Amino acid sequence: MAITLTEKAAKHIQQNIDKRGKGIGLRVGVRTSGCSGMAYKLEYVDDDIDPVDQVFESFNVKVFVDPKSLPYIDGTELDFVREGLNEGFKFKNPKEKASCGCGESFSV
């Protein structure tokens, strides 16, 4: 089981942690939301590590995942992309079966 980051995503996360002046990684999870059922959630981890979190590391950046979310996002690669004037994280989840038109939610 693993969640990985591309080099671009890791660099973007590290830059934001450096700008914030605190943080040890990024927490990735899912929540019930949207028309397809689930949505990704991201938050920076300062020092509030949950002992049940799984910890993965890519390009020296730690990714924390709670055990309830892991079955839905196991194998996911998180990328950071720029498309025209827009930029943001893009999830490449092999378990994703469908997503809504606006891209806010997905189902497995």
Side-chain angles (χ1 to χ4, degrees):
M1 291 201 263
I3 307 299
T4 58
L5 303 173
T6 64
E7 189 172 0
K8 284 183 186 177
K11 186 181 283 188
H12 181 76
I13 293 164
Q14 190 60 56
Q15 287 172 344
N16 281 328
I17 289 172
D18 293 344
K19 279 184 197 175
R20 294 174 78 237
K22 62 181 178 178
I24 58 171
L26 185 73
R27 179 170 285 118
V28 179
V30 295
R31 61 183 166 82
T32 303
S33 178
C35 52
S36 289
M38 304 178 107
Y40 297 105
K41 62 180 182 177
L42 300 171
E43 64 184 12
Y44 287 97
V45 177
D46 293 331
D47 60 2
D48 54 336
I49 300 170
D50 190 326
V52 297
D53 280 349
Q54 293 286 315
V55 183
F56 306 98
E57 191 168 329
S58 293
F59 300 100
N60 297 315
V61 174
K62 290 184 174 139
V63 178
F64 300 83
V65 182
D66 68 89
K68 290 180 183 176
S69 295
L70 189 56
Y72 300 104
I73 59 175
D74 181 33
T76 296
E77 179 184 66
L78 184 58
D79 194 7
F80 187 77
V81 296
R82 288 194 170 113
E83 296 171 347
L85 298 175
N86 299 318
E87 64 181 20
F89 288 106
K90 184 172 185 139
F91 293 85
K92 297 175 185 172
N93 184 346
K95 296 183 183 245
E96 191 174 299
K97 301 291 184 220
S99 61
C100 67
C102 64
E104 290 295 317
S105 63
F106 70 99
S107 63
V108 293

